[in-house]
Amino acid sequence: MKHFLEIADWTSDDLWDMLRLAVALKAEYRKRGNAPLFAGKALAMVFQKPSLRTRVSFEMAMQHLGGHALYLSPQEIGLGKRESGADIARVLAGYVDIIMARTFAHQHILDLAQWSPIPVINGLTDYNHPCQGMTDYLTIYEEFGQLDGLHLAYLGDSNNVLTSLLMGAAQFGLKVTVGSPAGYQPKPAVLDAARALSGGSLDVSITDDPVAAIEGADVVYTDTWTSMGQEAETEQRRLVFPPFQVNEDLLSHAADHAIVLHCLPAHRGEEITDAVADGPQSRLFPQAENRLHAQKAILVTLVNQEAGTMAKKGSKDDKKDKKSKKDKKDKKDKK
Ligand code: CP
Ligand code: NVA
């Protein structure tokens, strides 16, 4: 069984299939609503951190597909505190068909997945945010009709969102420039993993010069300077990040046709200004809406492959069963 924990776990063909499925499900939803592919199915959503988009888009995705979603707040589940991920996964599997979890430590989602008999989706960890990454590439694809060869510039903190963008760039063939202050640049292990994933073809460069990073970019991306869990560093971070703010002046160095993306929530006046967030190049809200469509594609892909595995297992069990019945019958006939 395959979980959705990292973009890097899937081939670029699989990821393209998911993007195309997202486009189809979006069109279907807008035209006549989605078919009830998830009738009788339920998703458990386990959160260690707050959320607007992830929670609501998954909940509505399940509703549109005819299924049901349960929100489990940080207080009630106590993942890793009240109960281990290993136990939670096996208990939930007795009640629901899929788990989506948002955790602090990436190890927590790995533990859930390792023990879970049902598919697990990563709804953000301190390491990555693959559902966001798929949404972002869906949004870019819709805008440009292609991904290969585009230039994405990421400005700000090299965080979980950037990890997934880099893995996606490796799979979809974009060039990435990262503008981050020293000390907040991508970890060598993340860059090595993205390069390895692309078979060495990923064109990625890191600079502490925001203008050099954004020069000529087709897509400009930024995110909060202080991610959830890093609140104690807020003031220290406010000292080093201002030159990387995506404002009209910095944006003027990108291509004229450039679009601006932000996973949200935005800290207006910090990593992005109102003029850019609400300006003509902003795609922030179509991007937020696309969480719904990209995640429907992820859910459907996981459930379909699960159904395929169960069908194969079923036919093997069936054959075994028939064989043992036949053996018994043969023995009886010999007597
Ligand atoms: N972008 C995103 O994941 O938003 P939430 O934290 O509100 O879910
Ligand atoms: N980097 C941000 C993303 C929020 C969706 C965080 O982890 O808080």
Side-chain angles (χ1 to χ4, degrees), residues 4 48 57 60 77 102 110 127-129 135 166 170 187 215 224 229 239 241 243 246 291 293 298 321:
F4 192 76
Q48 277 189 333
S57 56
M60 293 313 295
I77 278 277
R102 164 169 288 194
L110 298 179
Y127 172 66
N128 65 353
H129 197 359
T135 300
L166 284 168
K187 291 196 173 68
E215 200 71 65
T224 182
L239 298 176
F241 280 108
V246 178
R291 291 292 301 273
H293 310 298
I298 294 167
D321 202 38

Side-chain angles (χ1 to χ4, degrees), residues 49 102 124 129 159-161 223-224 226-228 263-265:
K49 296 173 176 174
R102 164 169 288 194
L124 175 143
H129 197 359
N159 58 17
N160 41 11
V161 168
D223 183 19
T224 182
T226 305
S227 285
M228 291 179 275
C263 59
L264 303 176

Side-chain angles (χ1 to χ4, degrees), residues 152-220:
L152 183 150
Y154 181 94
L155 279 299
D157 185 32
S158 301
N159 58 17
N160 41 11
V161 168
L162 178 60
T163 300
S164 291
L165 287 171
L166 284 168
M167 300 307 162
Q171 302 275 47
F172 292 124
L174 291 86
K175 163 186 165 175
V176 182
T177 48
V178 179
S180 292
Y184 298 94
Q185 297 182 346
K187 291 196 173 68
V190 171
L191 290 173
D192 289 348
R195 286 196 185 103
L197 188 61
S198 72
S201 67
L202 178 67
D203 181 355
V204 55
S205 53
I206 319 297
T207 172
D208 60 6
D209 177 348
V211 174
I214 204 172
E215 200 71 65
D218 302 301
V219 180
V220 175

Side-chain angles (χ1 to χ4, degrees), residues 7-135:
I7 286 181
D9 291 341
W10 294 76
T11 67
S12 59
D13 284 347
D14 291 335
L15 298 170
W16 268 115
D17 286 346
M18 280 188 223
L19 286 191
R20 289 192 196 100
L21 181 58
V23 170
L25 289 167
K26 182 173 178 174
E28 179 188 64
Y29 173 65
R30 288 193 166 170
K31 214 169 163 187
R32 54 179 181 274
N34 295 127
L37 300 174
F38 278 53
K41 293 203 186 295
L43 168 77
M45 308 189 292
V46 178
F47 282 90
Q48 277 189 333
K49 296 173 176 174
S51 168
L52 168 64
R53 281 144 290 272
T54 306
R55 185 215 164 147
V56 180
S57 56
F58 267 108
E59 193 159 336
M60 293 313 295
M62 287 301 290
Q63 188 169 318
H64 293 169
L65 292 165
H68 183 71
L70 291 125
Y71 170 68
L72 298 157
S73 73
Q75 290 74 21
E76 49 202 325
I77 278 277
L79 172 59
K81 287 187 189 137
R82 183 169 185 265
E83 206 159 354
S84 72
D87 286 0
I88 289 172
R90 286 172 289 178
V91 170
L92 284 175
Y95 311 136
V96 302
D97 305 276
I98 319 169
I99 300 170
M100 186 277 293
R102 164 169 288 194
T103 65
F104 284 99
H106 191 66
Q107 190 58 47
H108 274 142
I109 198 106
L110 298 179
D111 291 345
L112 273 174
Q114 186 191 336
W115 289 95
S116 177
I118 57 175
V120 174
I121 299 176
N122 176 352
L124 175 143
T125 70
D126 289 348
Y127 172 66
N128 65 353
H129 197 359
C131 293
Q132 183 69 55
M134 289 301 285
T135 300

